Amino acid sequence: MLRKLVIYGSVLLIATALIGGAEAGCGCSAGRSSSWSGSDWIDSTPGGSSPEPLPSNGSASEAVDEVIPAEKSGGDENAEIGFSFVSAEELGEKLGIEPKPVIAYVSNSPPSGGSYIGGSISLPSKGFIQADGSLKSVDELAGVLGWAGITAEDEVVLYGDCFSCGDLTFVYWIMKYLGHQKVEILRGPTAELPTAGSVATRHTVKYYPDPHIELLADYESVASGQFVVVDARTPDQFGEGHIDGALNIEFNRVIDDSWIKDDSALAEIFADIDPDRPVAVYSKNGGTASIIWYALTLQGRDVKLYTWNDWVIHK
């Protein structure tokens, strides 16, 4: 019962944390008039467009094919959930054995070259967003994955054209938040992989989430000073208003050649972050902050996602 109450509470927290509007100025006197909209998410990514999102009726209760989840061992909510990536060569090898991974093109616009990896499905980040711009509930997030034909037991490989847009790491964070174990981001060129002119479709299934609420920070914990707070926005945005005491590490600083920089470079970039304290990283709506979040997880850090919008509406 306690775990259920915690999970339901986290759903309310997400809706609150991601709806509010970002406004210039000091966080101590920021306004509350605007909200995080789907168009804001697209506008915050370079070169994004706005195609149709996945249908909003994909809830876990409406899915078609019954897939019984594997028996869970239970235990600690903070148990290791894993973070990883895969190369095109490794993905090619995986495609030669059964069961094959589900390959998902994560973008809100078609690929720049016009071709998809053969057999891949479409999983745009907009599909996880409500019409009012807020993140969907846990059940609705699970429904989006189920509607796309993804079960909690599937191995999933995410790929897209624009790593710096934040779509890939944002959807990766969503899946990890839902407790998905086997999900990877495709790193590097895909030229050696088979291609297709359109995406594939899969039968709708039920997706059973097991939320890891520890991946999301809330206002109270951030305000109390529990975390080293990292602002992933640009220096100009940081200068217009930020959370008191936050370190400004712009998301682009951790990217080199469309991927996360190597360990030594990351160690230097994150040198000012106390290694013995958990981290909360934020941007306007969490999109580009998820890039810093992913980089920190690759460093083995305890890191949570937060949003400037949530800070604004609370202040």
Side-chain angles (χ1 to χ4, degrees):
M1 175 62 74
L2 178 59
R3 177 172 173 81
K4 288 183 179 178
L5 290 174
V6 170
I7 291 175
Y8 294 154
S10 73
V11 174
L12 294 176
L13 169 62
I14 294 176
T16 301
L18 295 172
I19 289 176
E23 198 168 297
C26 175
C28 300
S29 60
R32 301 185 175 102
S33 60
S34 59
S35 64
W36 177 40
S37 67
S39 61
D40 286 338
W41 167 252
I42 299 302
D43 291 344
S44 70
T45 61
S49 60
S50 304
E52 289 299 313
L54 291 175
S56 60
N57 64 347
S59 68
S61 61
E62 295 169 335
V64 176
D65 291 347
E66 182 79 9
V67 178
I68 304 302
E71 193 72 27
K72 288 183 168 40
S73 59
D76 186 2
E77 283 185 59
N78 295 310
E80 175 61 42
I81 60 175
F83 300 92
S84 61
F85 54 86
V86 63
S87 69
E89 181 180 1
E90 292 167 330
L91 177 55
E93 293 174 357
K94 290 174 181 287
L95 293 176
I97 58 177
E98 296 290 345
K100 294 180 174 64
V102 177
I103 307 173
Y105 178 69
V106 178
S107 179
N108 295 305
S109 57
S112 57
S115 296
Y116 300 87
I117 295 176
S120 61
I121 62 172
S122 178
L123 195 65
S125 61
K126 284 184 64 178
F128 298 96
I129 307 303
Q130 300 277 18
D132 64 2
S134 62
L135 193 70
K136 291 181 177 179
S137 69
V138 167
D139 282 345
E140 289 171 321
L141 293 174
V144 172
L145 295 177
W147 183 89
I150 298 172
T151 75
E153 284 68 48
D154 283 328
E155 179 179 3
V156 179
V157 176
L158 308 175
Y159 81 102
D161 280 343
C162 183
F163 184 80
S164 64
C165 295
D167 297 77
L168 281 167
T169 48
F170 183 69
V171 173
Y172 183 93
W173 177 85
I174 288 171
M175 294 189 70
K176 284 301 183 183
Y177 177 80
L178 292 177
H180 203 99
Q181 295 291 317
K182 296 179 290 186
V183 56
E184 302 160 310
I185 295 177
L186 178 60
R187 173 184 179 178
T190 62
E192 60 195 75
L193 295 170
T195 61
S198 60
V199 292
T201 58
R202 295 170 63 88
H203 291 295
T204 301
V205 296
K206 286 190 176 181
Y207 186 99
Y208 295 90
D210 181 23
H212 286 265
I213 61 172
E214 68 275 10
L215 294 184
L216 180 69
D218 58 23
Y219 170 77
E220 287 75 17
S221 59
V222 172
S224 69
Q226 293 183 27
F227 306 114
V228 175
V229 180
V230 174
D231 187 318
R233 299 174 302 161
T234 66
D236 286 345
Q237 292 169 326
F238 181 81
E240 292 172 356
H242 58 269
I243 297 175
D244 293 342
L247 300 173
N248 184 209
I249 303 178
E250 185 183 0
F251 70 95
N252 273 319
R253 287 184 59 194
V254 304
I255 300 174
D256 182 30
D257 194 23
S258 300
W259 188 246
I260 301 295
K261 290 182 177 178
D262 61 33
D263 286 344
S264 60
L266 292 180
E268 183 176 346
I269 292 168
F270 298 143
D272 292 334
I273 300 178
D274 186 341
D276 298 321
R277 294 179 61 196
V279 181
V281 57
Y282 73 93
S283 59
K284 178 182 177 182
N285 50 43
T288 51
S290 68
I291 298 174
I292 297 288
W293 172 85
Y294 185 74
L296 283 165
T297 62
L298 293 178
Q299 291 278 291
R301 303 298 294 268
D302 177 4
V303 56
K304 307 174 191 301
L305 199 65
Y306 188 55
T307 69
W308 170 248
N309 286 345
D310 186 66
W311 185 263
V312 166
I313 64 171
H314 279 90
K315 301 300 284 191

